[in-house]
Amino acid sequence: MKILLLGHKGMLGNDLLIELGCRHEVTGMDIDEIDIVSAAQCREAVDEITPEIVVNAAAYTNVDGCEKAKDECFAVNAEAVKNIAEACRGKNICIVHFSTDYVFDGSGTEPYKEDHPCNPINTYGASKLAGERYLQDLAKKYILIRTAWLYGKNGKNFVRTIMEKARIVGQLEVVDDQVGSPTYTKDLAAAVALLIDGKATGIFHITNRGSCSWYQFAVKILQESGMTGVDVTPIKSDKLVRLAKRPAYSVLSMQKFIQKTGKIMQPWQLALQDYLKNVKH
Ligand SMILES: NC(=O)c1ccc[n+]([C@@H]2O[C@H](COP(=O)([O-])OP(=O)(O)OC[C@H]3O[C@@H](n4cnc5c(N)ncnc54)[C@H](OP(=O)(O)O)[C@@H]3O)[C@@H](O)[C@H]2O)c1
């Protein structure tokens, strides 16, 4: 199939390019070739490439930055989704788009299902929800994937940050009152390919299996990377000065994905080992 992949230089986009590129004819475009905030540029790209699928991995992903740059954040995460959907209209194109666990408010105590009411508590979550709504209102065929806590080879991420801080500072304070599911972008990209190949449509939650707090994740990162002797202290979120609030609990239920594909994602601990092996090489 012919696929137009937007945001192919980003963390997830890079792994999608590799995964989808094995089986499909993929054209990647990122900010240096297209600004998805421009409706005209979205139309031109779709008309020129004539894809059967448009995968949108482009986004404004700086969660705290969104609080200061609300207009830009909504332009990329919401208005641009409208542009993409309108550019694809009447052309029988399936749009694959990504959203976030941050569309939920975090007051839940069991994994969120796809139809659970959304109630974002920060600007990033609100902008991603607005993007979801545009997609659902305007696209005939779509796969909307909500995911969480991404890390991958091609991007600034929590795993890298923890290892760098541990090396430089030697002691860390990490929040222990936010629980979610760390997710390796290589695993997510493989799961996305399964949904595309299975001609799925609708909303799907996909993360690596299991959950932990950021503190537990940090401890595991240091353990798996052999960084002993680093002092890691669990702290409460209110001790950190951050512009955006984060949900306390944002674990996503994957029952629907499992039912559709028969695939069970590997546990986050094994995914982390894979990632560390990969970055070493
Ligand atoms: N990262 C996470 O933990 C996480 C969690 C849940 C969901 N998600 C969602 O997963 C998807 C992928 O996230 P990611 O972390 O891989 O993103 P990322 O690494 O920030 O990559 C996004 C890419 O989009 C590009 N981009 C930004 N604005 C653009 C524009 N106006 N036109 C064209 N390209 C533009 C970026 O370029 P620049 O780098 O030059 O800006 C970057 O290459 C996003 O939809 C995100 O909301 C991410």
Side-chain angles (χ1 to χ4, degrees):
M1 280 188 287
K2 253 199 209 176
I3 298 181
L4 168 58
L5 171 58
L6 302 166
H8 74 290
K9 291 184 181 165
M11 191 162 64
L12 174 61
N14 197 259
D15 280 326
L16 284 168
L17 185 66
I18 296 167
E19 181 69 39
L20 299 174
C22 299
R23 276 172 277 182
H24 303 285
E25 187 187 330
V26 182
T27 304
M29 293 179 106
D30 210 293
I31 189 72
D32 41 4
E33 292 138 317
I34 185 172
D35 180 358
I36 58 171
V37 171
S38 156
Q41 289 184 34
C42 290
R43 268 196 311 273
E44 276 162 31
V46 169
D47 289 347
E48 190 191 316
I49 288 148
T50 61
E52 288 147 279
I53 297 178
V54 173
V55 179
N56 179 33
Y60 190 105
T61 54
N62 179 342
V63 175
D64 290 308
C66 286
E67 299 299 328
K68 279 198 285 194
K70 287 191 182 177
D71 289 351
E72 196 186 334
C73 154
F74 268 85
V76 181
N77 292 343
E79 297 303 320
V81 183
K82 178 176 163 216
N83 295 341
I84 294 165
E86 281 177 341
C88 293
R89 232 173 177 183
K91 298 192 170 85
N92 196 29
I93 298 171
C94 178
I95 302 173
V96 180
H97 179 67
F98 297 91
S99 188
T100 169
D101 54 333
Y102 285 8
V103 295
F104 298 116
D105 62 17
S107 61
T109 50
E110 52 187 60
Y112 285 99
K113 292 196 172 137
E114 284 78 357
D115 57 1
H116 191 95
C118 296
N119 183 29
I121 57 171
N122 59 38
T123 303
Y124 170 72
S127 70
K128 295 296 291 185
L129 180 60
E132 288 192 8
R133 299 262 153 90
Y134 276 133
L135 184 74
Q136 291 173 296
D137 289 348
L138 299 172
K140 264 252 163 67
K141 266 196 294 184
Y142 65 82
I143 305 175
L144 171 56
I145 295 153
R146 294 199 190 113
T147 187
W149 294 27
L150 294 185
Y151 61 93
K153 212 171 170 181
N154 196 53
K156 190 173 170 280
N157 63 62
F158 184 79
V159 183
R160 208 163 272 175
T161 304
I162 288 295
M163 288 169 72
E164 273 169 20
K165 275 202 177 158
R167 228 186 327 264
I168 297 164
V169 189
Q171 95 180 38
L172 303 167
E173 289 188 333
V174 186
V175 295
D176 199 25
D177 56 0
Q178 290 168 28
V179 173
S181 305
T183 302
Y184 183 19
T185 49
K186 190 166 182 274
D187 287 355
L188 176 58
V192 172
L194 274 183
L195 287 177
I196 290 176
D197 293 348
K199 306 247 178 275
T201 54
I203 308 181
F204 292 90
H205 287 174
I206 311 177
T207 61
N208 277 120
R209 188 148 48 98
S211 61
C212 60
S213 70
W214 289 112
Y215 165 76
Q216 290 167 324
F217 190 24
V219 169
K220 193 72 185 164
I221 292 164
L222 296 176
Q223 194 188 356
E224 290 296 338
S225 53
M227 299 179 85
T228 50
V230 181
D231 184 16
V232 194
T233 310
I235 58 162
K236 298 277 170 233
S237 301
D238 57 16
K239 219 190 145 193
L240 268 191
V241 183
R242 283 172 125 184
L243 289 177
K245 274 205 252 169
R246 266 81 171 166
Y249 178 89
S250 61
V251 181
L252 303 176
S253 163
M254 275 180 295
Q255 282 314 311
K256 191 177 168 196
F257 172 74
I258 295 167
Q259 265 163 16
K260 176 68 195 171
T261 61
K263 160 98 183 161
I264 296 178
M265 297 292 284
Q266 69 170 334
W268 67 265
Q269 296 92 332
L270 294 185
L272 175 65
Q273 287 174 2
D274 276 359
Y275 168 81
L276 291 171
K277 251 185 255 157
N278 254 335
V279 287
K280 225 179 189 174
H281 292 142

